[in-house]
Amino acid sequence: MGTSRMFRIFVVLGSAFMILLIIIYWDDVGAAHLYLHTPVSPGPKVPHPPPQPRPHTTRTPSFLSDIDAFVNQFLEPGTGEPTDTVPVDSSNQSEKSEERYVPRREWKIHLTPVAAELRERQEKRRRLLQEVCANDSVSFPGKNRSFDDIPNKELDHLIVDDRHGIIYCYVPKVACSNWKRIMIVLSESLQQDGAPQRDPLAIPRDLVHNSSMHFTFNKFWKRYGKFAKHLMKVKLKKYTKFLFVRDPFVRLISAYRNKFEMRNEDFYRRFAQVMLRRYANQPTPPASVDEAFALGARPSFSHFTQYLLDPQTEKDMPFNEHWRQVYRLCHPCQIQYDFVGHLETAEEDAEHLLRLLRVDNVVEFPTSQRNLTASSWETDWFGPVPVEARRQLYKLYEPDFRLFGYDRPESILNE
Ligand SMILES: *[C@@H]1O[C@H](CO)[C@@H](O)[C@H](O)[C@H]1NC(C)=O
Ligand SMILES: *[C@@H]1O[C@H](CO)[C@@H](O)[C@H](O)[C@H]1NC(C)=O
Ligand SMILES: *[C@@H]1O[C@H](CO)[C@@H](O)[C@H](O)[C@H]1NC(C)=O
Ligand SMILES: *[C@@H]1O[C@H](CO)[C@@H](O)[C@H](O)[C@H]1NC(C)=O
Ligand SMILES: *[C@@H]1O[C@H](CO)[C@@H](O)[C@H](O)[C@H]1NC(C)=O
């Protein structure tokens, strides 16, 4: 008994040592490798020159699958569509395996299942995403690329919560502050008097949008190096992924009202001045937002649409996130979202989602006190915009309309 035990310890220690060696070795190779590759760009794949001779390449798959197994331990809570019957005794099971890190499972026991109507609604939205992604007559930039080809900086809207196995793609102007608050509460990334902050509304506004509060996919590279993409894919497979969207045109109106009808120095300098200069015949627009408001020099909604349609805009820099298309923020053809919320049905969807995530006894979705932009206003807002511009604008946002099931706004486009 004594010797066989010793032998087993040896084997374990030996394997650990080997793995350590491989990791160190991989670091060296990886670092060198970085300089050999040109950055990945979307588009046709040029066959790479044969890689540098790399001994041990045959070990790669088994090593990666080791990582998989290792990572899987942390991703236990088999998320996805939960069954209606919640296992009651699971809290006790998880206590037995207390030693390692166990993600929280703060389940609430529901006596009634989620309404069939809500489940069918999700089923329909998910199916639509798949159909539109598979439909070759709908095309938009980046649609055909693989997840691996998405540049790191385009993954900055995916917030990960490892505690509960949740990934949220935030879309600005779609209740994103409230969902970000919920992600902060769930991931316990904000401490208040030594305890995690539990009240979403108690989180100060500037912290909600401070990127240091959120662990996003684009930060994986820094933390996990060359395993980043692999780890992302594992998490995308295991975690519950959701996003919230709204009518694309109403989102534009909301962005305009929020950024240009209110005094916002930053947006005034970065965008309003450009619009005034280019489309409002003001070669020297007022220097500050206060001056501009005092003089009534504000870009109109028409100027804003001109700005969006101007080819020069995207040449200067990609669309700001407040008006960037959802398909560019969230990559719905590369990421299979489990839940697609609509702002138009926000309260029902939020309740359903929190139940699906099994966190509905930890957080509540804060109800909004602010007035939402109503879609019935669309016609009013688009009144001064020439019909031709409206049609071009529709083309620009058509993928979002199609992917998320918003009807073509006929009354605006046919006049
Ligand atoms: C867990 O189960 C054990 C028996 O297996 C029991 O003694 C203990 O009270 C249970 N704990 C909880 C929290 O239910
Ligand atoms: C694909 O999209 C076109 C319109 O762009 C539509 O007419 C067609 O029915 C769609 N095909 C499928 C299979 O949904
Ligand atoms: C994507 O691939 C389909 C065929 O597989 C092709 O018809 C379409 O033009 C491609 N779209 C883009 C944007 O490259
Ligand atoms: C974000 O928070 C970090 C620390 O919590 C702070 O150092 C930084 O200044 C904040 N950034 C902004 C833009 O407020
Ligand atoms: C919201 O709209 C109502 C009328 O629809 C109005 O009376 C109220 O002042 C608005 N609130 C805000 C904060 O704009």
Side-chain angles (χ1 to χ4, degrees), residues 191-244:
Q191 300 285 316
Q192 174 87 18
D193 305 326
Q197 176 60 265
R198 287 271 174 206
D199 177 10
L201 289 178
I203 303 169
R205 209 183 152 72
D206 51 337
L207 273 184
V208 171
H209 295 288
N210 186 323
S211 75
S212 72
M213 294 306 300
H214 301 285
F215 188 43
T216 43
F217 262 8
N218 60 323
K219 296 181 184 169
F220 273 46
W221 180 253
K222 215 167 177 184
R223 191 183 285 192
Y224 303 113
K226 57 204 158 293
F227 298 122
K229 268 275 159 56
H230 182 72
L231 208 57
M232 284 178 209
K233 284 197 274 190
V234 173
K235 292 191 185 208
L236 282 172
K237 207 152 100 195
K238 298 270 176 181
Y239 287 4
T240 307
K241 303 157 292 293
F242 77 95
L243 82 169
F244 267 76

Side-chain angles (χ1 to χ4, degrees), residues 136-144:
D136 281 341
S137 61
V138 184
S139 78
F140 48 83
K143 187 188 180 198
N144 286 353

Side-chain angles (χ1 to χ4, degrees), residues 140-401:
F140 48 83
K143 187 188 180 198
N144 286 353
R145 66 184 166 182
S146 72
F147 181 74
D148 285 316
D149 289 338
I150 300 176
N152 199 43
K153 63 175 187 303
E154 290 183 26
L155 295 170
D156 57 346
H157 281 62
L158 293 152
I159 301 179
V160 182
D161 169 28
D162 285 317
R163 265 173 190 280
H164 300 83
I166 300 172
I167 294 172
Y168 165 48
C169 181
Y170 72 92
V171 179
K173 303 319 302 163
V174 191
C176 94
S177 307
N178 280 343
W179 285 108
K180 280 182 172 177
R181 287 170 193 278
I182 287 184
M183 293 305 280
I184 292 174
V185 169
L186 290 179
S187 59
E188 302 187 358
S189 53
L190 183 63
Q191 300 285 316
Q192 174 87 18
D193 305 326
Q197 176 60 265
R198 287 271 174 206
D199 177 10
L201 289 178
I203 303 169
R205 209 183 152 72
D206 51 337
L207 273 184
V208 171
H209 295 288
N210 186 323
S211 75
S212 72
M213 294 306 300
H214 301 285
F215 188 43
T216 43
F217 262 8
N218 60 323
K219 296 181 184 169
F220 273 46
W221 180 253
K222 215 167 177 184
R223 191 183 285 192
Y224 303 113
K226 57 204 158 293
F227 298 122
K229 268 275 159 56
H230 182 72
L231 208 57
M232 284 178 209
K233 284 197 274 190
V234 173
K235 292 191 185 208
L236 282 172
K237 207 152 100 195
K238 298 270 176 181
Y239 287 4
T240 307
K241 303 157 292 293
F242 77 95
L243 82 169
F244 267 76
V245 296
R246 75 192 294 185
D247 181 300
F249 276 1
V250 181
R251 179 168 166 243
L252 286 182
I253 298 171
S254 174
Y256 171 79
R257 292 177 66 207
N258 184 248
K259 299 300 173 204
F260 303 113
E261 282 202 333
M262 293 184 194
R263 284 171 206 242
N264 185 322
E265 192 67 51
D266 183 36
F267 275 75
Y268 176 75
R269 284 168 190 270
R270 282 162 67 201
F271 306 105
Q273 281 189 339
V274 176
M275 293 178 211
L276 291 174
R277 225 177 281 131
R278 281 200 209 148
Y279 319 116
N281 243 339
Q282 295 197 21
T284 49
S288 75
V289 71
D290 284 334
E291 261 178 71
F293 270 58
L295 292 168
R298 278 188 275 166
S300 67
F301 185 65
S302 289
H303 294 147
F304 179 52
T305 58
Q306 263 178 288
Y307 173 77
L308 295 174
L309 292 172
D310 191 337
Q312 188 58 40
T313 302
E314 289 253 35
K315 278 190 200 138
D316 295 342
M317 62 177 146
F319 272 3
N320 177 270
E321 58 172 4
H322 290 86
W323 44 86
R324 198 179 312 161
Q325 296 90 333
V326 179
Y327 75 83
R328 292 167 67 187
L329 296 171
C330 296
H331 318 291
C333 290
Q334 284 79 23
I335 296 173
Q336 292 194 351
Y337 286 95
D338 302 285
F339 189 97
V340 183
H342 281 197
L343 194 72
E344 293 81 1
T345 52
E347 295 198 356
E348 283 173 344
D349 286 353
E351 206 184 316
H352 181 190
L353 174 63
L354 291 177
R355 246 182 101 162
L356 193 125
L357 299 175
R358 295 168 169 157
V359 294
D360 52 340
N361 58 346
V362 187
V363 278
E364 239 177 59
F365 187 69
T367 46
S368 181
Q369 298 96 6
R370 290 194 300 160
N371 282 346
L372 289 176
T373 304
S375 43
S376 56
W377 300 356
E378 252 177 331
T379 11
D380 302 340
W381 279 91
F382 279 92
V385 180
V387 176
E388 189 43 40
R390 299 180 203 173
R391 295 199 181 129
Q392 285 172 10
L393 204 61
Y394 176 72
K395 271 266 157 274
L396 201 55
Y397 287 86
E398 184 174 14
D400 281 359
F401 278 95

Side-chain angles (χ1 to χ4, degrees), residues 91-92 95-96:
S91 65
N92 204 336
E95 264 162 35
K96 282 179 201 152

